[in-house]
C-alpha cells in the first residue's frame, strides 16, 4: 500500500528516559527508538532521578534501541550539546535506518527555565532538532508526528512548542 508505514523512528527528547517506549519496541527491527535523557548515577539510598533507567549500554542487540544518557551538569545541557548529539549520533543513525514515519515524544522539561529538568534547551534548539528530522529523505514530505508530553514551566513549554510548530 502506498501510505503504509513500514519503518518508524520514535525519538524521545523528554528529560526522562523513555522506558515505556523502549519496553514496547525493544528488539523490533521495524521500529527504532532513541531516547535523549538525564541520567543520575546515585543508587543509595535509592535512585535520585526518575526513572533511573536508560544507560547507553542498555540497547537492543539489533540496534533498534539507542539510549543517550546525559549526566547532569551544573546549568544543564543545552542547544550546543543537543545539536552535537543530533549531528553526530541521532541523524546518522536515523538516516541509516530510513524511517517513513517519525514520532517525536516531545516533552519540554529539558527546556531552559524548567524547574524539574534542570537543562537549558531553548526554543531554537528544539526547532533545530525537529528541522533535522524533517530533512530525512525517506519521509518524502510526510510522516512526522509531534506528541506533546509536557514540561513543568508553562511559558517554556509554550515557547518551545511554538518554535517547533513554526519549523
Amino acid at each position: 500500500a502506498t501510505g503504509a508505514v513500514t519503518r518508524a523512528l520514535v525519538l524521545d527528547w523528554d528529560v526522562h528516559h523513555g522506558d515505556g517506549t523502549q519496553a514496547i519496541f525493544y528488539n523490533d527491527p521495524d521500529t527504532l527508538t532513541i531516547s535523549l535523557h538525564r541520567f543520575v548515577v546515585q543508587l543509595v539510598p535509592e535512585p535520585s532521578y526518575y526513572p533511573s533507567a536508560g544507560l547507553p549500554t542498555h540497547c537492543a542487540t539489533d540496534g533498534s534501541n539507542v539510549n543517550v544518557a546525559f549526566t547532569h551538569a551544573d546549568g544543564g545541557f543545552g542547544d550546543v550539546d543537543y545539536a552535537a548529539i543530533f549531528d553526530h549520533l541521532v541523524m546518522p543513525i536515523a538516516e541509516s535506518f530510513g524511517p517513513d514515519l517519525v514520532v517525536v515524544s516531545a516533552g519540554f522539561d529539558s527546556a531552559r527555565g524548567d524547574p524539574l529538568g534542570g537543562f537549558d534547551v531553548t526554543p531554537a534548539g528544539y526547532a533545530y532538532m525537529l528541522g533535522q528530522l524533517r530533512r530525512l529523505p525517506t519521509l518524502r514530505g510526510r510522516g512526522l508526528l509531534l506528541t506533546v508530553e509536557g514540561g513543568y514551566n508553562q511559558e517554556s513549554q509554550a515557547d518551545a512548542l511554538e518554535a517547533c510548530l513554526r519549523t
Side-chain angles (χ1 to χ4, degrees):
T2 309
V5 172
T6 58
R7 294 173 73 73
L9 162 62
V10 181
L11 175 81
D12 187 337
W13 68 36
D14 186 287
V15 78
H16 298 96
H17 176 244
D19 54 332
T21 303
Q22 176 177 296
I24 292 168
F25 296 110
Y26 202 73
N27 283 326
D28 177 348
D30 297 321
T31 305
L32 169 63
T33 60
I34 301 176
S35 178
L36 312 177
H37 54 273
R38 177 177 169 184
F39 185 83
V40 179
V41 180
Q42 178 184 336
L43 301 177
V44 179
E46 60 185 50
S48 63
Y49 201 77
Y50 182 82
S52 196
L55 282 170
T57 55
H58 189 195
C59 295
T61 56
D62 65 357
S64 63
N65 182 80
V66 177
N67 284 306
V68 179
F70 293 100
T71 56
H72 188 51
D74 289 336
F77 291 93
D79 295 353
V80 172
D81 307 294
Y82 274 74
I85 293 294
F86 249 72
D87 293 346
H88 300 289
L89 186 68
V90 172
M91 292 310 296
I93 292 171
E95 289 166 359
S96 175
F97 181 71
D100 47 20
L101 172 68
V102 174
V103 177
V104 180
S105 297
F108 295 111
D109 50 5
S110 53
R112 175 178 289 168
D114 188 278
L116 181 64
F119 278 16
D120 196 36
V121 182
T122 69
Y126 289 110
Y128 175 80
M129 291 187 284
L130 192 61
Q132 293 297 95
L133 292 169
R134 288 181 53 141
R135 290 183 187 88
L136 283 168
T138 52
L139 291 183
R140 297 179 296 278
R142 62 179 180 98
L144 181 64
L145 176 65
L146 194 67
T147 62
V148 180
E149 295 186 346
Y152 304 93
N153 179 319
Q154 291 179 345
E155 186 176 334
S156 297
Q157 181 182 4
D159 292 345
L161 179 57
E162 180 181 6
C164 288
L165 294 175
R166 293 185 182 278
T167 299

